[in-house]
Amino acid sequence: MLNPVWKSQQYKLNTKLKLYRSYVLSTLLYGSECWRMIESDTCKLSSFHTKSLRKIARIFWPRYISNEDLLEQCQQETMETIIIRRRWRWIGHVLRKEQDAIPRVAVQWRPEGHRKRGRPKTTWRRTVEAEAAAMGQSWATLRMLAHYREQWKEFVAALIAYGKKGSK
């Protein structure tokens, strides 16, 4: 429905990007904090993100521009960075809740029993634990760190910076 706006030359790029962030990205990523993300999901979301930005910035076939240059030109982050930031901000919010709050219990819950043979499935919890382990943090440390908002924000920023450095 926003295609006429993206194609229009009447609106400035900044206005279109604000609309994209507020309407499209917020709708697209609603609840993404709780998704288990596998590589194919990230690729699909990233592809949509760059296609949309190319429409908004009016960059079409004969003109070539790399995705990194596109993101820089539009002053946007990669989809992976956006999702990681949203996920960790939500985790901080949940860990600050009271001990018996349902979201906090759900985040810390571990199922009982044995799993099937073979490679374990990629779960939300395994993803989060791997990201925390990459930063050298445990759940106990994260629970304490979450109560100090400024330190938590610094941790999330460091996690994202580490992710950018690790992906290059």
Side-chain angles (χ1 to χ4, degrees), residues 6-7 31 40 44 61 73 86 96 105 111 123 131 134 136-137 150 152 155:
W6 301 158
K7 291 178 182 176
S40 64
K44 288 175 188 174
W61 173 66
Q73 179 181 334
R86 288 174 64 107
R96 281 189 292 275
V105 171
T123 62
E131 289 172 355
Q137 301 291 334
E150 291 303 317
W152 185 258
F155 168 73

Side-chain angles (χ1 to χ4, degrees), residues 15 54 66 82 92-93 115 127 133:
T15 306
R54 285 178 189 279
S66 70
I82 294 169
H93 173 71
R115 63 175 183 80
T127 304

Side-chain angles (χ1 to χ4, degrees), residues 3 11 21 26 29 37 44 49 51-52 56 58 67 73 76 78 87 89 101 104 122 132 135 142-143 145 164:
N3 273 337
Y11 305 108
R21 270 185 246 124
S26 62
L29 298 177
M37 293 296 286
K44 288 175 188 174
H49 185 53
K51 281 181 190 175
S52 298
I56 291 169
R58 301 180 54 80
N67 287 341
Q73 179 181 334
Q76 297 289 310
T78 63
R87 181 184 310 134
R89 286 182 66 202
R104 185 163 178 180
T122 302
M135 292 297 294
L142 293 176
R143 270 187 246 127
L145 188 63
K164 287 180 182 177

Side-chain angles (χ1 to χ4, degrees), residues 4-165:
V5 176
W6 301 158
K7 291 178 182 176
S8 174
Q9 293 182 3
Q10 171 181 349
Y11 305 108
K12 291 183 178 181
L13 178 63
N14 285 338
T15 306
K16 292 178 185 181
L17 289 171
K18 285 180 184 177
L19 288 171
Y20 175 71
R21 270 185 246 124
S22 61
Y23 293 131
V24 179
L25 277 185
S26 62
T27 305
L28 177 70
L29 298 177
Y30 179 78
S32 64
E33 300 85 5
C34 303
W35 297 346
R36 75 175 182 103
M37 293 296 286
I38 56 177
E39 197 169 332
S40 64
D41 295 336
T42 306
C43 285
K44 288 175 188 174
L45 288 170
S46 182
S47 174
F48 174 81
H49 185 53
T50 53
K51 281 181 190 175
S52 298
L53 290 177
R54 285 178 189 279
K55 277 185 191 175
I56 291 169
R58 301 180 54 80
I59 297 172
F60 302 112
W61 173 66
R63 190 169 149 218
Y64 174 78
I65 182 172
S66 70
N67 287 341
E68 291 80 21
D69 291 341
L70 173 71
L71 292 170
E72 188 177 316
Q73 179 181 334
C74 294
Q75 298 172 349
Q76 297 289 310
E77 296 176 316
T78 63
M79 185 57 68
E80 186 177 350
T81 304
I82 294 169
I83 291 170
I84 290 171
R85 176 174 281 122
R86 288 174 64 107
R87 181 184 310 134
W88 282 95
R89 286 182 66 202
W90 182 77
I91 290 170
H93 173 71
V94 168
L95 292 178
R96 281 189 292 275
K97 287 186 169 288
E98 294 187 23
Q99 193 71 24
D100 59 342
I102 293 173
R104 185 163 178 180
V105 171
V107 165
Q108 297 173 352
W109 177 73
R110 285 202 178 261
E112 295 177 8
H114 299 286
R115 63 175 183 80
K116 297 178 190 174
R117 279 181 51 185
R119 180 180 177 184
K121 298 240 184 247
T122 302
T123 62
W124 179 87
R125 182 162 183 115
R126 284 192 181 103
T127 304
V128 170
E129 286 174 347
E131 289 172 355
M135 292 297 294
Q137 301 291 334
S138 66
W139 270 109
T141 311
L142 293 176
R143 270 187 246 127
M144 289 178 27
L145 188 63
H147 291 288
Y148 305 101
R149 288 177 185 258
E150 291 303 317
Q151 291 178 354
W152 185 258
K153 287 178 184 177
E154 291 172 10
F155 168 73
V156 172
L159 182 73
I160 290 169
Y162 179 80
K164 287 180 182 177
K165 183 178 70 175

